[in-house]
Amino acid sequence: MTWEPQPEGLQQMIAILKQSQSPDTATQMAVQVKLEELNQYPDFNNYLIYVLTKLKTEDEPTRSLSGLILKNNIRLHGNNLQPEIIEYIKQECLMAVGDPSPLIRATVGILITTIASNGNLHNWPQVLPSLCDMLDSQDYNVCEGSFGALQKICEDSADILDSAVLNRPLNIMIPKFLRFFRHTSPKIRSHAIACINQFIINRSQALMMHIDTFIENLFHLSSDEDHEVRRHVCRGLVMLLEVRMDRLLPHMGHIIEYMLQRTTDTDDSVALEASEFWLSLAEQSICKEVLTPHLPRLAPILVRGMRYSEIDIILLKGNVEEDDMVPDREEDIRPRFHKSRTHTIKSGEVGAGGGDGEDDEDEDDDGLDDENSLSEWNLRKCSAAALDVLANVFHEDCLPVVLPILKETLFHQDWVVKESGILALGAIAEGCMQGMIAHLPELIPYLISCLSDKKALVRSITCWTLSRYVNWVVNQPHNQYLKPLMEELLKRILDSNKKVQEAACSAFATLEEEACTELVPYLQYILNTFVFAFSKYQHKNLLILYDAVGTLADSVGHHLNTPEYINILMPPLIDKWNLLNDDDKDLFPLLECLSSIATALQSGFLPYCEPVYRRCISLIEQTINQDMACKTNPGQCDQPDKERMIVALDLLSGLAEGLDGHIEVLVANSNIMQLLYQCMQDVLPEVRQSSFALLGDLTKACFQHVHRFMPDFFPILGQNLNPDYISVCNNATWAIGEISMKLGEETRPYISIVLKELIAIINRPNTTKTLLENTAITIGRLGYVCPVEVAPYLQEFVRQWCTSLRHIRDNDEKDSAFRGMCHMITVNPAGVVPDFIFYCDAVASWMNPPSDLQQMIQKILHGFKAQVGEESWRRFLDQFPPHLNERLVAMYNI
């Protein structure tokens, strides 16, 4: 196809492209409108490709911009363009691959990739053969341009290139790329490695056939003078470590030696790729063995890599000490993600928290999350993460190497060096805790003194490092460490630097989680600091402060419920609450915070509960109505943000849990049950998860209002017993257990809806501990209220039931579940016989069973003993570990 532009059309086109480079916003807006209009004309895209590829008299930025606008058009409207226009664009792209200008070649490459991935590669069969043929061109520009395009295609379409759909083009491409590893041009060498690197992680068959040649060529390029080539070599070796360790193992000594050099490369991008190697190596079983001899060289390199560069300090405004009066920019505030309520059971291990840790996210694991303007991965973060994971591999064995480095850096005169030492001390905390304990009496007071360092970046990293050691601090005499630490952290919460405020709030939240009720004596001081911070903080840190207040409420619980504390804390929170609109995102963290406070204050929250309750109902209603409007008129209105509904449901759960029966009046005078019915059927799992949590809490607080909805609610609960959505399934399971305890015998018609699913969950391999425990308790509770219906299935779940509940603490849930098991055994004693040893193990897990439950268990044990006879019973008991035997004798007199 030959197409020629109209001269006046071309002039108009150039004028628009020039205008769109104007810094003036109004001009840019006008250009956008004009471009949308021009999109109505089919040959508009022909003009765009013409300017990019043919109009050599025009300046490069204008030509390139023309190509980028065309790329967006193809991405958005490619399927609607006439085939002959697409063909014309393809033909022009392939002819322009070797343009003399690197910028135009790169733009053409982007365009080719967009067409290829938009219409799938099999709709453009000639593109790969054409580009591969052009690699052999004697013209450097043609070779480089086609390689640039191929690299982008390999990045975008790695999977399909290795599939039978295209007749496995990689079988030809990989050997061809390998030939260019020794090309005279560094740019070409760099393209060749980058192309092949795309196929390592997927273990592409074509690459695996040539793996030894590939590795040999990588080694050949290891000391290349070009930094891009070195970067791609490091990248390739890091990925090979994950997928073909067997091939690297014979050369591991040399590779480690090479990576030690590259980790200190003068080019930061190379050093960063090389640092990734240590992170990957730490995950390999051979790490300790191969790395031990090199650790004395590696550790100082990593700590050196943690120093801020001069550019980092400029970007972080590291020399600006006081900025707390400077308003935040909206773009600096990262999105927060609300974590919906999950019902967990207290495990029996000493010091275990509410959950089992399987979904606890350590949100700030490298102490570097606050570096927002540097939020991209960089050498400092990678070095710190590498030291952290290696400390978890070597544990105390790395301290002889690391301690001298810490001595040298921690007390250094140059604040940048000192700061990197404090970061390193935090990085090794998890892996080397046992070995560090001897040094902490000296280090913790030193770190506490660093909290008042004159450099803000030193103060902020010290907050994080101290948070990594608070577990030790909390378990020492309070006056010695906890009190001074707490006082200094509270001062830092009121620091004049925003980064320090943020780090101090995060560290204090960690301290709250570790110290829990140990903080009660200091509550007034803590609350006064928080309230002062409310008046002082800018937008971003206010959101983090809400978290710290909510965590405090979770940690000290009902100790917060005194008039004095309520009068300090609630007025500023209610002021914020009244200022925020329903659609303000800042309402979410405030609602979360209030949810924790309502649960902690219990009846103390009564004066505030009605307006809070009404607003939550209103938020849920608005979201449901907006959602329905979108379904009835698709495209006519914005999709609702369902997070506000989730947070509102969770706050209502907090109110129900905290206020208990006092919530009854509010529930009676609202449509909460109808709203809950809709939320329980929402397509979003998180909405269902929070709905079932609220259903369980309302069941406990005011069942009279839940009761009549059972025929509607139970089938929905049954449909959500799907462990693929683990948190939804967990909360639905828990709610069923709570409802059955209130319904009693009336649960009978619903047993068939849920029992089979619950038995399937408890027998499913790799089910998480929380879900297993909740499922076992709910099955026990169903057996408690309807033993005749559940007991016939005893054989199907009794062993898993016993092993799931042997670790949980004595509490009401455990009590009702074990009573249910006793009822079921009474109805169907034969069902427990094959697994009776597991039952004995489970009943021995009680510390102090209620006396009537103890008698029920004793009766079953004695009944079993009488049935098998004295001798068989002796033999049976001999199978038990001695401590279990002693416990059973002491508790149940057997």
Side-chain angles (χ1 to χ4, degrees):
M1 169 184 175
T2 51
W3 175 89
E4 288 299 324
Q6 301 295 323
E8 64 277 14
L10 199 54
Q11 287 321 107
Q12 189 188 1
M13 189 77 219
I14 299 293
I16 291 171
L17 289 167
K18 297 276 191 215
Q19 278 181 317
S20 73
Q21 294 171 64
S22 155
D24 178 55
T25 319
T27 310
Q28 283 185 356
M29 298 283 279
V31 168
Q32 281 309 114
V33 173
K34 190 72 185 152
L35 288 173
E36 283 304 316
E37 284 172 20
L38 289 171
N39 254 324
Q40 309 307 311
Y41 300 99
D43 63 353
F44 170 53
N45 293 296
N46 291 358
Y47 278 96
L48 289 171
I49 189 74
Y50 186 88
V51 172
L52 172 68
T53 61
K54 293 273 201 293
L55 208 58
K56 305 281 169 92
T57 51
E58 202 42 69
D59 65 273
E60 288 176 16
T62 302
R63 288 172 62 199
S64 174
L65 183 64
S66 179
L68 295 175
I69 292 170
L70 177 56
K71 177 205 80 163
N72 286 335
N73 281 352
I74 288 171
R75 211 166 45 81
L76 297 170
H77 316 294
N79 299 334
N80 306 328
L81 292 179
Q82 293 164 2
E84 59 271 23
I85 292 176
I86 288 284
E87 282 311 309
Y88 176 62
I89 295 170
K90 286 177 180 177
Q91 162 197 319
E92 290 302 308
C93 280
L94 287 175
M95 284 166 62
V97 153
D99 194 279
S101 152
L103 177 64
I104 301 305
R105 290 201 298 273
T107 310
V108 169
I110 290 170
L111 200 46
I112 289 174
T113 317
T114 307
I115 298 168
S117 54
N118 203 56
N120 292 331
L121 275 163
H122 51 257
N123 291 339
W124 192 1
Q126 68 274 36
V127 68
L128 292 173
S130 302
L131 291 172
C132 282
D133 286 348
M134 284 192 256
L135 294 181
D136 297 322
S137 168
Q138 294 308 300
D139 180 341
Y140 167 80
N141 292 336
V142 173
C143 176
E144 195 280 324
S146 51
F147 235 140
L150 280 166
Q151 184 180 331
K152 293 182 181 76
I153 290 174
C154 290
E155 286 166 7
D156 285 0
S157 312
D159 287 344
I160 197 164
L161 288 173
D162 195 29
S163 68
V165 180
L166 291 179
N167 220 353
R168 301 207 181 274
L170 275 196
N171 292 340
I172 296 162
M173 291 162 72
I174 296 272
K176 181 137 197 167
F177 295 157
L178 282 167
R179 296 212 312 268
F180 287 87
F181 273 45
R182 309 204 177 200
H183 196 277
T184 51
S185 154
K187 187 91 172 132
I188 303 288
R189 295 197 295 274
S190 176
H191 282 315
I193 312 174
C195 283
I196 292 192
N197 279 352
Q198 296 304 321
F199 304 102
I200 298 174
I201 290 296
N202 295 346
R203 293 181 165 85
S204 297
Q205 197 184 338
L207 174 57
M208 292 305 139
M209 284 162 60
H210 296 90
I211 194 76
D212 292 327
T213 318
F214 173 52
I215 291 171
E216 187 188 319
N217 277 308
L218 272 186
F219 288 168
H220 174 75
L221 293 177
S222 57
S223 50
D224 200 282
E225 74 279 2
D226 183 79
H227 71 87
E228 272 300 289
V229 173
R230 295 197 304 276
R231 187 170 75 82
H232 287 306
V233 168
C234 290
R235 187 86 194 271
L237 287 169
V238 170
M239 291 190 287
L240 283 168
L241 188 62
E242 288 177 36
V243 300
R244 288 312 300 260
M245 166 68 91
D246 58 322
R247 284 293 193 267
L248 295 189
L249 207 47
H251 314 284
M252 195 51 81
H254 295 304
I255 294 171
I256 289 174
E257 196 58 49
Y258 173 64
M259 287 299 184
L260 283 165
Q261 290 172 28
R262 290 288 78 87
T263 306
T264 55
D265 199 282
T266 49
D267 185 277
D268 269 1
S269 67
V270 179
L272 176 58
E273 284 296 348
S275 298
E276 296 276 359
F277 178 80
W278 313 114
L279 282 174
S280 288
L281 185 58
E283 289 173 11
Q284 308 298 326
S285 56
I286 54 134
C287 175
K288 197 166 182 179
E289 181 192 335
V290 298
L291 201 52
T292 299
H294 306 277
L295 204 58
R297 282 177 61 206
L298 174 60
I301 290 172
L302 291 177
V303 177
R304 178 75 188 74
M306 292 182 208
R307 287 184 201 172
Y308 282 123
S309 68
E310 286 175 26
I311 294 165
D312 293 341
I313 294 168
I314 293 163
L315 287 173
L316 279 168
K317 304 186 179 67
N319 294 322
V320 177
E321 289 301 315
E322 298 189 5
D323 63 354
D324 59 336
M325 304 307 283
V326 181
D328 292 334
R329 299 180 314 162
E330 285 309 300
E331 58 268 32
D332 288 340
I333 297 167
R334 281 180 297 180
R336 297 173 71 268
F337 297 102
H338 171 69
K339 211 165 160 207
S340 306
R341 278 172 88 97
T342 303
H343 187 82
T344 55
I345 292 154
K346 300 278 186 279
S347 292
E349 292 89 345
V350 178
D356 54 359
E358 70 213 7
D359 50 16
D360 291 352
E361 285 146 31
D362 196 346
E363 285 166 10
D364 187 9
D365 212 21
D366 50 9
L368 311 158
D369 259 18
D370 56 340
E371 293 170 18
N372 254 17
S373 42
L374 284 177
S375 58
E376 81 284 354
W377 191 234
N378 59 19
L379 183 59
R380 170 180 162 86
K381 291 185 180 189
C382 191
S383 302
L387 187 62
D388 188 339
V389 295
L390 289 171
N392 275 296
V393 170
F394 284 89
H395 299 295
E396 284 59 49
D397 295 348
C398 67
L399 287 180
V401 174
V402 175
L403 286 174
I405 302 168
L406 289 176
K407 279 208 175 77
E408 197 181 308
T409 51
L410 279 172
F411 308 100
H412 205 281
Q413 292 308 298
D414 181 346
W415 74 267
V416 175
V417 178
K418 174 177 168 177
E419 195 276 348
S420 70
I422 296 171
L423 170 56
L425 179 58
I428 64 165
E430 190 186 358
C432 300
M433 185 57 84
Q434 283 314 108
M436 289 306 295
I437 286 173
H439 306 279
L440 293 181
E442 178 193 351
L443 284 172
I444 297 296
Y446 174 68
L447 286 173
I448 292 172
S449 75
C450 292
L451 284 174
S452 45
D453 193 275
K454 64 180 194 298
K455 279 287 171 194
L457 289 173
V458 172
R459 298 198 299 278
S460 69
I461 201 63
T462 305
C463 290
W464 175 75
T465 292
L466 277 162
S467 76
R468 303 272 283 184
Y469 290 99
V470 292
N471 180 276
W472 179 85
V473 169
V474 167
N475 289 303
Q476 305 308 308
H478 286 197
N479 284 343
Q480 216 167 343
Y481 306 106
L482 177 64
K483 203 156 174 261
L485 170 60
M486 193 181 59
E487 286 169 358
E488 285 306 311
L489 272 181
L490 289 170
K491 284 181 195 161
R492 294 293 67 82
I493 283 175
L494 303 178
D495 200 274
S496 54
N497 181 278
K498 290 193 286 192
K499 185 179 297 305
V500 179
Q501 293 172 358
E502 179 181 1
C505 269
S506 297
F508 202 83
T510 307
L511 176 65
E512 290 167 345
E513 287 171 343
E514 288 288 345
C516 294
T517 50
E518 307 278 351
L519 295 179
V520 171
Y522 315 107
L523 268 174
Q524 185 164 6
Y525 184 23
I526 296 169
L527 291 171
N528 281 328
T529 304
F530 283 168
V531 167
F532 189 67
F534 273 121
S535 62
K536 178 181 172 77
Y537 275 17
Q538 298 293 336
H539 187 178
K540 179 184 167 198
N541 285 350
L542 201 53
L543 307 185
I544 294 157
L545 183 61
Y546 289 141
D547 280 343
V549 173
T551 306
L552 179 69
D554 292 337
S555 300
V556 300
H558 65 90
H559 296 284
L560 207 53
N561 186 10
T562 73
E564 185 187 7
Y565 299 152
I566 294 170
N567 291 337
I568 298 173
L569 182 59
M570 289 308 294
L573 286 174
I574 294 300
D575 286 348
K576 300 279 181 203
W577 166 268
N578 290 330
L579 284 171
L580 292 170
N581 297 322
D582 282 354
D583 52 4
D584 194 322
K585 281 272 196 198
D586 289 4
L587 193 57
F588 300 169
L590 177 54
L591 285 166
E592 284 177 27
C593 174
L594 284 172
S595 175
S596 294
I597 290 171
T599 309
L601 290 185
Q602 298 171 347
S603 59
F605 199 77
L606 275 172
Y608 309 96
C609 66
E610 186 164 356
V612 171
Y613 180 91
R614 298 248 166 268
R615 189 165 191 179
C616 288
I617 295 287
S618 160
L619 289 168
I620 295 167
E621 235 166 5
Q622 288 172 46
T623 312
I624 288 174
N625 292 340
Q626 199 179 337
D627 196 31
M628 287 168 91
C630 285
K631 284 184 181 124
T632 25
N633 309 303
Q636 299 298 302
C637 63
D638 292 338
Q639 287 292 333
D641 182 350
K642 290 195 179 169
E643 193 179 2
R644 68 176 178 177
M645 175 155 80
I646 295 164
V647 182
L649 287 164
D650 285 350
L651 177 45
L652 289 173
S653 272
L655 288 177
E657 193 183 330
L659 299 175
D660 202 31
H662 295 296
I663 201 169
E664 189 273 325
V665 182
L666 296 170
V667 172
N669 295 319
S670 69
N671 59 342
I672 188 168
M673 288 302 158
Q674 289 79 2
L675 297 176
L676 198 49
Y677 179 66
Q678 286 171 281
C679 292
M680 283 161 59
Q681 297 174 83
D682 198 275
V683 292
L684 207 65
E686 290 81 1
V687 176
R688 302 200 301 278
Q689 177 184 340
S690 292
S691 307
F692 296 135
L694 177 55
L695 176 60
D697 284 318
L698 289 175
T699 297
K700 291 171 79 171
C702 53
F703 186 64
Q704 64 269 46
H705 296 296
V706 180
H707 193 167
R708 64 193 174 92
F709 293 93
M710 284 302 101
D712 298 321
F713 285 4
F714 243 104
I716 300 171
L717 286 164
Q719 287 153 21
N720 281 278
L721 296 177
N722 173 3
D724 290 341
Y725 296 99
I726 189 153
S727 299
V728 179
C729 180
N730 183 64
N731 287 2
T733 302
W734 172 71
I736 291 166
E738 291 296 338
I739 291 167
S740 64
M741 291 303 288
K742 298 284 187 182
L743 266 184
E745 289 181 359
E746 286 180 51
T747 312
R748 192 169 290 121
Y750 307 117
I751 297 282
S752 59
I753 298 176
V754 298
L755 185 60
K756 280 271 191 279
E757 274 72 16
L758 292 169
I759 292 173
I761 293 166
I762 206 168
N763 286 306
R764 194 171 185 248
N766 306 323
T767 304
T768 58
K769 187 161 160 280
T770 304
L771 181 54
L772 276 179
E773 289 170 353
N774 270 324
T775 306
I777 281 172
T778 295
I779 291 174
R781 289 178 152 190
L782 292 173
Y784 179 66
V785 294
C786 299
V788 174
E789 285 68 27
V790 184
Y793 301 96
L794 202 49
Q795 182 85 63
E796 294 179 35
F797 61 77
V798 67
R799 178 185 293 201
Q800 287 73 14
W801 189 95
C802 291
T803 49
S804 301
L805 293 189
R806 63 194 292 267
H807 282 308
I808 68 166
R809 295 179 194 171
D810 295 4
N811 61 21
D812 292 347
E813 294 174 312
K814 182 171 178 173
D815 181 290
S816 52
F818 271 82
R819 288 173 193 274
M821 180 52 74
C822 292
H823 286 342
M824 289 186 280
I825 291 173
T826 308
V827 172
N828 176 17
V832 76
V833 170
D835 297 306
F836 199 67
I837 191 166
F838 291 95
Y839 175 74
C840 295
D841 181 46
V843 296
S845 72
W846 278 92
M847 300 311 286
N848 295 298
S851 58
D852 59 333
L853 175 60
Q854 189 171 7
Q855 283 163 14
M856 289 163 81
I857 294 170
Q858 196 167 332
K859 191 173 168 190
I860 288 169
L861 294 174
H862 281 271
F864 191 81
K865 179 179 175 180
Q867 198 178 348
V868 299
E870 193 71 43
E871 196 179 326
S872 300
W873 180 251
R874 276 288 126 239
R875 283 205 303 275
F876 178 68
L877 287 188
D878 288 345
Q879 302 173 57
F880 293 174
H883 67 92
L884 176 58
N885 225 321
E886 288 158 21
R887 243 184 115 55
L888 288 169
V889 171
M891 289 174 71
Y892 303 111
N893 190 24
I894 58 164

